[in-house]
């Protein structure tokens, strides 16, 4: 059994060009010999666990929808809000939420210190994430982003 101490894992920072989206993460699953976006079907863990923190005024990611992945958040420090579709909920230490596939969501720090939380997500074999505001799509485990347009079913087939 691999054992780690989360405090020894370096934070990985992700920041959008204008700083609207900022999150730092410690990927506990990878430190425990997991594989990113790869479940037991590919030799990885059945779920991923990460510590995350968002600085004041920032959001973790653009509003997005997972088609097959479940996520659970446990907030441990700071204050913020969880947006689920058009509804916003205040969050703080001890708050826990479960986000099923198909629900648009985003976390934003509304406080004056880092908003910290644990993320626990299952590892579906295939996953599509959509971004309602920009009409982008991401496929996992490849982690490729696309903008799609509708086409006829038989286009390019004959």
């Amino acid at each position: 059994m691999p054992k780690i101490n989360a405090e020894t894992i370096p934070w990985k920072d992700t920041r959008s060009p204008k700083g609207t989206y900022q999150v730092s993460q410690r990927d506990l699953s990878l430190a425990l010999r997991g594989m990113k976006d790869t479940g037991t079907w590919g030799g990885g863990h059945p779920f991923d666990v990460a510590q995350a923190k968002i600085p004041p005024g920032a959001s973790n990611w653009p509003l997005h929808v997972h088609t097959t992945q479940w996520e659970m958040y446990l907030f441990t420090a700071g204050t913020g809000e969880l947006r689920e579709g058009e509804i916003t909920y205040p969050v703080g230490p001890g708050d826990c939420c479960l986000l099923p596939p198909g629900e648009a969501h985003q976390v934003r720090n509304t406080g004056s210190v880092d908003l910290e939380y644990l993320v626990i997500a299952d590892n579906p074999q295939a996953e599509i994430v959509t971004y309602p505001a920009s009409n982008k799509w991401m496929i996992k485990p490849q982690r490729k982003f696309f903008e799609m347009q509708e086409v006829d079913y038989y286009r390019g087939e004959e």
Side-chain angles (χ1 to χ4, degrees):
M1 169 191 88
K3 177 188 170 289
I4 59 165
N5 182 302
E7 297 300 318
T8 65
I9 300 168
W11 291 97
K12 178 184 174 197
D13 299 326
T14 304
R15 186 178 195 280
S16 65
K18 293 183 179 179
T20 304
Y21 308 104
Q22 299 180 51
V23 64
S24 297
Q25 296 184 91
R26 285 181 170 154
D27 198 322
L28 305 180
S29 297
L30 289 181
L32 288 167
R33 300 187 203 139
M35 292 184 282
K36 187 73 175 164
D37 299 325
T38 305
T40 55
W41 49 270
H45 296 169
F47 49 85
D48 284 331
V49 181
Q51 285 181 304
K53 62 182 178 179
I54 305 168
S59 295
N60 58 349
W61 311 108
L63 183 70
H64 62 282
V65 180
H66 296 275
T67 57
T68 56
Q69 179 175 290
W70 287 77
E71 290 182 320
M72 185 174 95
Y73 298 159
L74 172 60
F75 294 90
T76 57
T79 57
E81 60 188 23
L82 171 67
R83 179 178 170 194
E84 184 180 27
E86 298 303 316
I87 302 170
T88 302
Y89 303 94
V91 294
D95 289 334
C96 186
C97 59
L98 182 65
L99 299 158
E103 292 189 9
H105 59 280
Q106 176 185 56
V107 179
R108 183 171 180 272
N109 184 342
T110 58
S112 59
V113 299
D114 286 346
L115 176 61
E116 299 181 30
Y117 58 105
L118 289 175
V119 180
I120 303 168
D122 68 345
N123 266 322
Q125 193 162 0
E127 163 77 326
I128 298 171
V129 182
T130 61
Y131 296 82
S134 61
N135 292 316
K136 286 192 308 270
W137 300 60
M138 177 180 72
I139 58 169
K140 288 169 44 176
Q142 297 86 353
R143 300 188 82 73
K144 302 280 185 184
F145 290 85
F146 300 93
E147 292 177 337
M148 293 193 195
Q149 65 182 12
E150 187 174 352
V151 296
D152 180 74
Y153 178 75
Y154 291 108
R155 180 177 166 236
E157 299 298 331
E158 296 183 316

